[in-house]
Amino acid sequence: MGTLPAQDRGTANEALNVQNADIRAFIQDVARATGTTFIVDPQVQGTVNVSREQPMSEQELLGVLLAVLRANGLVAIPAGGGAYRVVPDDTAAQQPGSAGGSSLGFATQVIPLRTVDARIAAETLKPLVGRGGVVLPMPQSNSLLVADYADNLRRIRQLIAQVDSDRASIDTVTLRNSSAREIAATVGQLFGVGGEGGNPALSILPVESSNSVVIRGDNALIQRVAQMVMELDRRAESSGDVRVVKLRHANAEELLPVLQQLIGQSNGDAPRGDQPVDTAVSTADAQIISGTSGKRPTIVRYPGSNSLIINADPETQRTLMAVIEQLDTRREQVLVEAIVVEISDEAAKELGVQFLLAGKDGNLPFAATQYPSSDVGIMNLAAGVAAQQKDDDSAIGELAKRAAVQSLLGLTGGLAGLAGSSGDAVFGMIINAVKSDTGSNLLSTPSILTLDNEEARILVGQEVPITTGEVLGNDNSNPFRTIQRQDVGIQLEVKPQVNSGGGITLFLRQEVSSIAGPVSADFSELVLNKREIETRVQVDDGAIVVLGGLLDQADRLTVDKIPGLGDIPVIGGLFRSTSRQNTQRNLVVFIRPSIIRDGVDAQRATAQRYDYIRNVQLQSQDAEGQRAALDALVEEYLRASPPVQPPSPVPSLPPASEVAPREASRP
């Protein structure tokens, strides 16, 4: 092994010939020859073969040392105070003192980027750095952190300077006859822009606010794309200003006034294409969308196919089409279900005594008791019996018989009595006693399905004739009566409005009416019972709320008696009649609206009602295993399958990391 010759520092070495020398000894000789301190890592190992015939200075000798260290996978890191640390180059980036540039070998620098993404640049440069070099992207500042040998670091900076430059051009093409979105999609597909494997050197973006297309890429390619865009826009000009729009969900008759108001067209305007734009339009015809060609746009409706015909310049057509696309959407529906509950309880007690005393020929005084609370009057019975015994066929006699019969027909409860005569006196007495308890439980469940913001009405009942006028004329020569029919039954009228927050604003009118009977025996006009609620409420989707109700209780005690005699203890009961009535009524109305957003929701609601009716039919049939009549009707008459419940969506479970652990149950 050769050694370095002894010399004074600053003088040139005469020659350098080292063969198979230990690298640690070579580092020691260079340190002695140059007066530089080297701190050698214990992992430093290797051999040195150097041969040079020309004399070298101290800086040249240090350069030879750095080259030898680099050839052996080592590097010298400045440690401060003129000293250097010799370590393996795979740990150089983690050593202190390597952050700044140094002519002795290893350095670390931050390289900012302007156009290239830092992540992509880091993946590209990793094969170009040495074994101990590091390339890290910093996305926040779009920069690269590079640690490597100084000469290789300079080469990397030169490569980045060549790559990190934007040579692309940008051009903007304003369209007059076509839609920017449509042209950008067509041309982009033609030149292979977008998607996997697309052309990364070309970008085509639509700008709808100015109806323009922005093109970015190579200058020659931009010229081709711009010419294609202008050619397509020119050809669109010859397509005409008339366009037919077939609506999918909206009603053309309802949509037409809205669009006419936007362009300032009144309902009576004639669709003339040569009509100029009037700048002094009235407030009712004030237009929001103005034509660019100097002619007022015109919109008409063709009811045969639910279509709109637009006569306007392409720019106005695009604006109107954007409005139509947002309005021509599937409307939500609302299923409104109501429950009307009426529970009533009526109890009545009645006890009364009536008597009659009279002479046969009118010689004795006449005395009788009769009370208005009694269903049967003793005077009616006595007059009817007297007329029957005397065979009185006069008008008065027939009237007395009819009154007696009607009195007995109106009897409720029990009736007991006695009658007789003694000498010239006739006497009679009846006792009327009744106790009744009537309870009723009425449930009605009307339901109706309607579109959002559309009124709907359902009626299940009868049309009852009600007399509204009657004219007899002179001597009944030309009598006539006017009759108006009135709906009696269960009625439900709704108009829902679905809000963006999921709630439903509901205008509702609920009516339950019935016939109570005639006003009286002598007056045949009908009395109608009516329960009605008309209100506007806000309900959540699928929630049940109470609209209103009535809690009514009435107690009535009636005592009819003869003054003085009815107050006598014990026997006073023969001279009075007592009637007690107690009535309780509870009426409550519930409502439940549900939003039907799509066909699956509609199928689910239909299947629920269908299954309910089918189960009711199956329960009412005696034979087991029989098919429901509703199923047979649907399959045989409609030639369709009965509705079934759609499969329920499977709820998505949260990730395991987001599920909070349950606490252990405590006794």
Side-chain angles (χ1 to χ4, degrees):
M1 179 183 70
T3 58
L4 295 176
Q7 62 174 351
D8 295 334
R9 286 191 303 172
T11 63
N13 296 309
E14 296 179 353
L16 180 63
N17 187 9
V18 179
Q19 299 296 326
N20 296 325
D22 183 69
I23 193 169
R24 301 174 68 92
F26 183 73
I27 295 173
Q28 183 178 3
D29 292 342
V30 172
R32 185 182 303 110
T34 60
T36 306
T37 303
F38 292 96
I39 303 172
V40 183
D41 191 91
Q43 298 180 4
V44 173
Q45 294 179 357
T47 60
V48 180
N49 293 299
V50 179
S51 178
R52 179 184 174 89
E53 299 298 334
Q54 301 295 329
M56 293 182 297
S57 64
E58 293 182 1
Q59 294 297 328
E60 292 176 340
L61 184 58
L62 289 175
V64 171
L65 176 61
L66 293 179
V68 171
L69 293 177
R70 187 168 182 176
N72 288 269
L74 303 171
V75 65
I77 305 297
Y84 298 91
R85 182 184 297 106
V86 181
V87 296
D89 57 3
D90 56 357
T91 62
Q94 289 81 27
Q95 297 297 325
S98 63
S102 173
S103 60
L104 293 178
F106 212 84
T108 303
Q109 292 185 6
V110 176
I111 304 175
L113 302 177
R114 295 179 300 172
T115 59
V116 182
D117 184 75
R119 298 183 182 91
I120 300 177
E123 294 295 330
T124 305
L125 295 176
K126 280 183 180 179
L128 302 179
V129 298
R131 190 183 67 169
V134 177
V135 179
L136 296 177
M138 295 186 293
Q140 294 82 359
S141 60
N142 197 38
S143 303
L144 291 177
L145 177 63
V146 183
D148 202 352
Y149 291 99
D151 54 351
N152 196 35
L153 191 60
R154 287 191 298 269
R155 183 171 65 93
I156 291 176
R157 290 185 63 89
Q158 293 175 359
L159 293 176
I160 292 177
Q162 296 178 9
V163 175
D164 189 26
S165 60
D166 188 7
R167 297 183 179 89
S169 301
I170 299 177
D171 193 5
T172 303
V173 180
T174 303
L175 305 178
R176 299 185 57 185
N177 309 301
S178 306
S179 171
R181 181 182 295 273
E182 180 181 358
I183 291 295
T186 303
V187 177
Q189 186 176 3
L190 178 63
F191 285 88
V193 178
E196 296 183 0
N199 187 1
L202 180 64
S203 299
I204 303 175
L205 298 177
V207 182
E208 297 185 1
S209 59
S210 61
N211 197 39
S212 304
V213 176
V214 179
I215 310 170
R216 180 182 181 275
D218 182 71
N219 190 29
L221 188 58
I222 286 181
Q223 296 299 325
R224 293 177 54 195
V225 175
Q227 290 179 1
M228 177 63 68
V229 170
M230 290 186 291
E231 178 66 17
L232 293 176
D233 186 52
R234 185 186 62 80
R235 292 178 179 272
E237 185 178 3
S238 60
S239 62
D241 294 339
V242 179
R243 185 168 185 175
V244 178
V245 182
K246 294 184 178 181
L247 303 179
R248 296 174 299 173
H249 305 286
N251 188 349
E253 184 177 1
E254 297 178 353
L255 188 58
L256 178 63
V258 177
L259 300 178
Q260 287 179 339
Q261 188 175 2
L262 290 177
I263 62 176
Q265 174 189 348
S266 62
N267 294 332
D269 288 346
R272 293 171 50 193
D274 56 348
Q275 183 177 359
V277 176
D278 187 4
T279 57
V281 185
S282 62
T283 305
D285 296 338
Q287 63 186 75
I288 300 176
I289 302 175
S290 59
T292 59
S293 61
K295 298 179 181 180
R296 173 177 294 182
T298 306
I299 306 175
V300 296
R301 176 178 66 96
Y302 176 62
S305 61
N306 191 36
S307 303
L308 294 174
I309 304 175
I310 302 175
N311 183 11
D313 58 274
E315 180 67 24
T316 305
Q317 287 187 18
R318 287 190 295 271
T319 306
L320 292 175
M321 285 300 301
V323 176
I324 293 175
E325 288 177 0
Q326 298 182 48
L327 297 179
D328 187 23
T329 58
R330 182 187 179 98
R331 296 173 62 182
E332 296 176 329
Q333 302 181 90
V334 179
L335 175 63
V336 181
E337 301 166 288
I339 299 179
V340 182
V341 184
E342 183 175 358
I343 303 174
S344 63
D345 188 6
E346 298 180 1
K349 293 181 181 181
E350 182 179 345
L351 177 62
V353 179
Q354 304 176 56
F355 65 88
L356 170 69
L357 178 62
K360 292 182 178 180
D361 298 329
N363 298 327
L364 296 178
F366 174 81
T369 60
Q370 182 170 321
Y371 308 107
S373 60
S374 300
D375 295 331
V376 180
I378 193 172
M379 297 297 295
N380 298 337
L381 297 178
V385 171
Q388 181 68 26
Q389 290 179 352
K390 294 181 179 180
D391 294 331
D392 187 0
D393 297 333
S394 61
I396 298 177
E398 292 297 331
L399 181 61
K401 296 176 184 179
R402 190 180 302 111
V405 174
Q406 292 179 352
S407 179
L408 291 175
L409 291 177
L411 173 65
T412 58
L415 178 67
L418 58 89
S421 61
S422 176
D424 294 335
V426 178
F427 63 90
M429 182 179 67
I430 59 174
I431 301 175
N432 185 19
V434 61
K435 180 179 180 181
S436 63
D437 192 356
T438 303
S440 64
N441 188 354
L442 174 63
L443 292 176
S444 58
T445 57
S447 62
I448 191 170
L449 178 66
T450 179
L451 283 173
D452 181 24
N453 275 324
E454 292 290 342
E455 294 183 358
R457 178 174 180 266
I458 184 174
L459 168 64
V460 180
Q462 299 174 322
E463 287 189 348
V464 178
I466 305 296
T467 302
T468 58
E470 184 177 10
V471 177
L472 300 178
N474 297 328
D475 300 330
N476 292 334
S477 59
N478 187 21
F480 68 91
R481 176 181 297 177
T482 58
I483 296 177
Q484 179 180 358
R485 295 188 177 272
Q486 182 174 340
D487 296 331
V488 176
I490 300 174
Q491 299 185 54
L492 177 63
E493 298 179 6
V494 295
K495 184 178 181 181
Q497 178 182 339
V498 180
N499 303 325
S500 59
I504 304 172
T505 301
L506 191 66
F507 170 77
L508 182 139
R509 180 179 176 270
Q510 172 74 60
E511 178 182 322
V512 179
S513 56
S514 60
I515 302 175
V519 177
S520 63
D522 298 330
F523 193 57
S524 62
E525 295 298 332
L526 300 177
V527 176
L528 303 180
N529 296 327
K530 190 173 183 181
R531 290 90 172 169
E532 180 180 357
I533 290 180
E534 183 174 342
T535 182
R536 186 187 300 270
V537 295
Q538 186 168 0
V539 191
D540 291 335
D541 179 21
I544 300 178
V545 296
V546 59
L547 292 183
L550 173 66
L551 304 179
D552 186 13
Q553 179 173 351
D555 295 329
R556 181 178 181 183
L557 176 61
T558 303
V559 178
D560 300 322
K561 62 182 179 180
I562 298 176
L565 299 179
D567 299 329
I568 300 175
V570 183
I571 64 173
L574 300 176
F575 301 99
R576 66 173 178 263
S577 175
T578 303
S579 175
R580 183 186 299 273
Q581 294 182 351
N582 179 269
T583 303
Q584 291 182 351
R585 180 175 55 183
N586 299 324
L587 174 64
V588 184
V589 179
F590 300 94
I591 198 74
R592 180 179 182 265
S594 302
I595 301 177
I596 306 297
R597 293 183 169 85
D598 49 23
V600 177
D601 291 346
Q603 182 182 359
R604 183 177 294 109
T606 303
Q608 289 177 355
R609 305 304 182 276
Y610 187 92
D611 292 342
Y612 175 79
I613 298 299
R614 179 172 54 187
N615 294 335
V616 171
Q617 287 187 346
L618 292 175
Q619 292 174 3
S620 62
Q621 295 176 357
D622 298 332
E624 296 183 358
Q626 258 188 346
R627 186 174 58 166
L630 185 59
D631 287 344
L633 184 64
V634 171
E635 294 175 358
E636 297 174 4
Y637 180 73
L638 298 180
R639 298 181 181 179
S641 300
V644 295
Q645 283 281 2
S648 301
V650 179
S652 59
L653 298 177
S657 59
E658 298 181 2
V659 179
R662 295 183 177 179
E663 296 182 357
S665 58
R666 298 179 180 177

